[in-house]
Amino acid sequence: GLNNDWKVLVYSNRCYVLFRGNRNNDFRASGSGKFIFTTEIPDGILDYALNIKNYFKVPHISLDIGYDGNYFHLIEFQFLYFGTTTLEKSPFYFEKQDNDWIIRKEKSCLEEVYVQSIIDYINQQEI
């Protein structure tokens, strides 16, 4: 019964979010081409995404998230290899600083963000 899902890529404390509308006469959003970069996102989705990344203790993760108006639903996740188009084409990203999410209106360089997420991950590990 969902009309869309949300592709969320999380690298360290950054989230790249893409609204994906469902295909015509189909329940799937993946491959629909109905993609929108918007800062108007469901309250709590960024914390939900970051909590999943932290649960798995990985440097970065790709999430497909459904939202029914009350609850978030994890549809799919990947963290070994996943597409990076959402990061590469997004004109902004959300960054968690202290307990607040800040919108950074700038393009990101995949290689820089990827490497920084690995460095942050290594620095967080207990030796």
Side-chain angles (χ1 to χ4, degrees), residues 10-67:
V10 186
Y11 290 82
S12 294
N13 63 337
R14 290 184 180 186
C15 290
Y16 299 83
V17 180
L18 180 64
F19 171 97
R20 302 188 312 177
N22 290 359
R23 298 178 192 184
N24 293 336
N25 302 314
D26 197 337
F27 67 92
R28 294 172 291 178
S30 178
S32 71
K34 298 177 181 180
F35 304 146
I36 301 169
F37 289 101
T38 178
T39 58
E40 295 180 24
I41 59 176
D43 287 339
I45 194 169
L46 300 175
D47 287 324
Y48 180 78
L50 185 60
N51 287 338
I52 293 170
K53 182 191 82 69
N54 291 341
Y55 173 83
F56 285 110
K57 298 178 181 163
V58 294
H60 41 259
I61 193 167
S62 172
L63 305 166
D64 294 355
I65 300 171
Y67 181 63

Side-chain angles (χ1 to χ4, degrees), residues 52-107:
I52 293 170
K53 182 191 82 69
N54 291 341
Y55 173 83
F56 285 110
K57 298 178 181 163
V58 294
H60 41 259
I61 193 167
S62 172
L63 305 166
D64 294 355
I65 300 171
Y67 181 63
D68 64 14
N70 294 309
Y71 300 100
F72 295 106
H73 305 276
L74 181 58
I75 298 169
E76 180 179 323
F77 65 91
Q78 301 163 323
F79 43 76
L80 290 179
Y81 178 78
F82 53 85
T84 57
T85 301
T86 299
L87 182 154
E88 295 174 273
K89 292 192 175 188
S90 182
F92 59 85
Y93 58 90
F94 300 88
E95 183 174 37
K96 184 132 193 190
Q97 291 190 340
D98 299 318
N99 288 324
D100 297 322
W101 287 100
I102 309 297
I103 300 171
R104 302 280 185 203
K105 294 186 178 181
E106 60 188 38
K107 299 277 286 175

